[in-house]
Amino acid sequence: MTTLEPIKIRKMVTPSLYIQGKGAIYYLGQKAFPYGDKGYVVGGASALTAAGDRIRKSLVSNGIEVVGWNDSIKDCTHATIARLAEEGKHLKPHFVVGVGGGRAVDTAKAVAWKLKLPSITVGTQCATNADASAESVVYTDDHRFLEVIALPRNPVVVIEDTEVIFNAPSKYMVWGMGDALSTKFEAEAYAKARQKKKDAETPPTAALALADACYKGLMEHGLKAITDVKNGNHSTDVDDVIEAVKLSSAMAFENTGCALAHAFHNGLTRTGQVKGEHGEIVAYGTIVQMVYENRPRDEVQQVVNWCDKIGLPTKLRAFGELTKAALRMAVEYAAEKDWNSRNMPDKVKASELMAAVEKVERGKL
């Protein structure tokens, strides 16, 4: 009897349409119309203040009725998702438009999923790669990481108006680059894990190429882009970084997976003692992962130096006073409980992860 080898599947998921550029928001109504003529717009107050008039104009001028408008999103929690989904049931929209940063668009995508409708996202700052992904990261009411909801499909339309994003505070771009920084290293770890464990889809070479392109884009354009945003110069470097964060990073992580950098982020945020944005903590976690993997010192130092120049944390003290007990809890959670650590080629040991953290803290890279 012949034993057949399991089929090695490669898959690539993407949004149906991604549009980036100055004035891209005006394409919203035209590209949304094929999905229906009733839109439910949700987002944060500041995001809808910044872009709301243009969003409404684009929808209405293309024959779309705005049946709901909710600017109350402050965090992506199960309670917020349930509240907006219940509101949406009565409005009977044909699609949901999520406007803002990661918390807003993740909420909107989950609301659309609850309503069994397509989602459309409009980014208003560059702190997140959530806009194009088929995931929603859910937090507790006091913003501790809770879980990730895997959604059945990506947004059907992703709009990144670079004029809107450029006018957001520069700190958002710093945070977005911190999150995107992890993409190359986590994607490579994921690919090695799948090759060794043979327990899931093989990542397509296209996704790994996007992860590498994301990293190169950050290294080549990141510092110039931040300088230009601060100086009011909307340059090609700014647009290149927006694409690296919003498209390359999103499609690379979506079609590979997160790994130890995000596992450690999740462990740290669960302690309740860490004060920092997602991208800041992930950037630090990326350095920890690189040291854990015994990557060449020069490679790690390049990332540390880049983070220092960009303004991303490279030491734990940047996140406040973390007790030794809390750090142990974070390390143990990341190594033993967080699903992302399973995307490392070998089982993560808490003792080895703690040793990597201690090396980073001592500068022994």
Side-chain angles (χ1 to χ4, degrees):
M1 182 175 177
T2 303
T3 302
L4 297 177
E5 293 245 346
I7 299 173
K8 294 181 180 178
I9 298 294
R10 300 186 189 195
K11 73 172 184 179
M12 188 87 176
V13 296
T14 66
S16 300
L17 180 64
Y18 175 94
I19 301 177
Q20 174 184 317
K22 292 182 180 179
I25 208 163
Y26 292 109
Y27 285 92
L28 172 62
Q30 175 190 342
K31 302 305 180 183
F33 189 77
Y35 299 99
D37 60 5
K38 296 181 187 298
Y40 178 27
V41 179
V42 301
S46 59
L48 285 172
T49 297
D53 289 345
R54 281 170 281 188
I55 286 170
R56 191 184 292 274
K57 180 179 180 180
S58 181
L59 292 171
V60 172
S61 65
N62 282 278
I64 296 171
E65 180 185 359
V66 180
V67 295
W69 187 277
N70 192 306
D71 67 354
S72 67
I73 298 176
K74 295 180 179 178
D75 215 337
C76 184
T77 65
H78 281 303
T80 302
I81 293 167
R83 173 172 55 81
L84 294 181
E86 186 61 30
E87 181 178 292
K89 284 180 184 178
H90 301 289
L91 297 170
K92 294 183 169 52
H94 296 149
F95 55 82
V96 178
V97 182
V99 185
R103 300 173 188 183
V105 299
D106 275 356
T107 302
K109 290 182 296 183
V111 170
W113 166 62
K114 291 276 190 182
L115 297 174
K116 296 181 172 59
L117 297 173
S119 66
I120 294 169
T121 58
V122 181
T124 57
Q125 37 93 328
C126 198
T128 179
N129 59 11
D131 306 7
S133 81
E135 291 185 357
S136 289
V137 182
V138 182
Y139 292 86
T140 61
D141 290 336
D142 58 350
H143 198 62
R144 300 190 192 198
F145 168 78
L146 184 61
E147 65 172 330
V148 172
I149 301 173
L151 304 170
R153 64 171 166 175
N154 301 68
V156 292
V157 180
V158 178
I159 302 287
E160 305 295 354
D161 192 316
T162 55
E163 186 174 16
V164 174
I165 294 170
F166 171 76
N167 285 316
S170 61
K171 63 184 181 182
Y172 292 117
M173 183 169 284
V174 173
W175 299 341
M177 287 196 285
D179 191 16
L181 175 66
S182 68
T183 307
K184 168 184 167 66
F185 306 103
E186 292 191 301
E188 290 176 357
Y190 180 91
K192 291 175 183 176
R194 299 291 76 80
Q195 184 178 28
K196 184 171 185 176
K197 299 177 182 179
K198 303 184 187 305
D199 59 354
E201 294 91 353
T202 300
T205 55
L208 295 171
L210 281 169
D212 195 52
C214 174
Y215 179 71
K216 289 178 179 177
L218 297 179
M219 294 299 110
E220 292 175 12
H221 305 289
L223 182 58
K224 177 69 161 48
I226 288 299
T227 302
D228 286 346
V229 170
K230 290 178 178 178
N231 291 335
N233 175 29
H234 190 160
S235 64
T236 302
D237 295 275
V238 173
D239 289 349
D240 286 342
V241 166
I242 292 172
E243 182 181 328
V245 173
K246 295 293 190 180
L247 182 61
S248 299
S249 174
M251 291 301 91
F253 103 79
E254 180 96 319
N255 291 287
T256 56
C258 296
L260 189 55
H262 273 80
F264 192 40
H265 162 278
N266 296 343
L268 287 171
T269 58
R270 288 176 73 91
T271 66
Q273 293 186 10
V274 169
K275 296 179 177 62
E277 296 296 326
H278 177 81
E280 294 177 308
I281 302 169
V282 170
Y284 176 78
T286 301
I287 297 169
V288 171
Q289 177 178 321
M290 294 177 76
V291 172
Y292 179 88
E293 294 175 311
N294 291 315
R295 285 184 177 260
R297 179 182 174 85
D298 289 349
E299 185 181 23
V300 181
Q301 193 62 57
Q302 179 186 24
V303 169
V304 171
N305 293 344
W306 181 84
C307 286
D308 283 335
K309 292 175 182 177
I310 293 294
L312 287 165
T314 58
K315 291 288 191 294
L316 270 174
R317 61 176 175 269
F319 307 121
E321 295 296 326
L322 190 68
T323 64
K324 290 182 179 179
L327 178 58
R328 280 196 303 273
M329 183 175 78
V331 165
E332 288 170 2
Y333 176 86
E336 298 167 7
K337 296 181 180 180
D338 193 89
W339 77 97
N340 289 310
S341 64
R342 299 170 195 164
N343 291 331
M344 298 296 288
D346 298 298
K347 180 174 174 56
V348 177
K349 296 180 179 178
S351 59
E352 293 176 359
L353 177 54
M354 182 64 83
V357 174
E358 290 171 350
K359 285 182 182 179
V360 172
E361 291 303 295
R362 295 197 307 268
K364 301 292 185 181
L365 307 176

